[in-house]
Amino acid sequence: MPAPSKRKPTADPHRSLRGVTVENPFYSRAHAGDPTNPKHINAVVNIRESAITMLASRNKIDAAQVAAATKFRALWEAMGGKGASAIDYGREHVDGGKRSDPITERQMNAADELRRTRRVLGDNGYWLICRICGEGFSLHEVVQPGASKRAKLAAANDLRACLDKLAEMWGIATTRR
C-alpha cells in the first residue's frame, strides 16, 4: 500500500479552472466589424483534463504542439470506434438487410496515419505520445514509480520533441523559442 500523500486536498474546486482567451466558434466573417461578433472570447478551461492542457496552461508547450497533440488524440479516438456492441437477441431478424461494415473508412485512414506517426517517432516516442495524448496519462504516471525529478523533466523534453516532430510531419506551423 502506498504511503499517504503529505499534500492535503484543496477545498477550493475552482483551482483547476483557468480563464483563457480562445477563438470564437460562432465568429462570422460576414459581420467582422460588429461588436456582438468578436473574433476571440473568454472561456474557462479545466487544466486537469489532460497533461497537454496542463502543460499548455503553464506555457511549457506552444500552440503548434497543442494542435499536434489534439490531432493525435482525434486519430487515436477514431481508431477506438464505437466499441464492442452486444448482440440483441430480442431484435427481429429481417432477411435482405445489409451487414454493417465492422471497420469504417475513417478508422482505416486513422490507422494509416497512426502507422505513419509510429515510423516518424520510433517505438519509444510513439509509446510516450500514445500514453499521454491518446490514453490521457500524466507525466508522473508515465515515468517509473519513485523516479527522480530529472527523469520527469527528461520525459517532458521527450514529449515536446515528439510533438515538434508530429507538428512538422502534419505541416502545423511551429514557433521556435
Side-chain angles (χ1 to χ4, degrees):
M1 186 160 122
S5 175
K6 293 179 183 176
R7 292 178 65 191
K8 292 183 181 179
T10 60
D12 186 13
H14 301 292
R15 286 191 70 168
S16 62
L17 301 178
R18 187 165 291 172
V20 295
T21 302
V22 296
E23 290 187 19
N24 185 358
F26 302 113
Y27 176 74
S28 172
R29 290 184 188 164
H31 305 288
D34 193 1
T36 61
N37 184 36
K39 189 167 187 167
H40 293 89
I41 59 172
N42 295 327
V44 177
V45 175
N46 180 4
I47 61 171
R48 293 188 183 172
E49 190 266 330
S50 72
I52 299 300
T53 56
M54 177 72 80
L55 291 170
S57 71
R58 294 179 177 175
N59 293 326
K60 300 296 183 189
I61 58 176
D62 60 16
Q65 292 168 331
V66 172
T70 304
K71 183 169 181 170
F72 185 89
R73 182 177 181 178
L75 292 169
W76 182 268
E77 289 175 354
M79 273 300 301
K82 63 179 182 178
S85 57
I87 298 173
D88 184 10
Y89 292 107
R91 192 177 66 177
E92 192 147 336
H93 218 6
V94 179
D95 290 338
K98 286 200 255 181
R99 267 185 70 200
S100 64
D101 191 14
I103 299 175
T104 64
E105 186 175 344
R106 180 175 174 236
Q107 288 174 317
M108 289 189 294
N109 292 338
D112 289 340
E113 195 65 24
L114 288 175
R115 199 173 300 114
R116 199 174 119 202
T117 62
R118 186 178 196 128
R119 282 193 303 267
V120 168
L121 297 176
D123 288 337
N124 291 337
Y126 186 76
W127 178 86
L128 181 66
I129 290 290
C130 284
R131 294 299 173 275
I132 292 177
C133 299
E135 297 176 16
F137 283 84
S138 69
L139 281 170
H140 299 288
E141 294 171 326
V142 171
V143 295
Q144 297 292 330
S148 65
K149 185 174 182 177
R150 182 176 182 173
K152 292 173 188 171
L153 290 173
N157 287 337
D158 291 344
L159 175 67
R160 281 192 288 274
C162 290
L163 290 173
D164 280 338
K165 287 180 185 177
L166 289 179
E168 184 180 335
M169 182 182 85
W170 287 322
I172 301 170
T174 58
T175 57
R176 292 289 166 200
R177 293 175 220 192

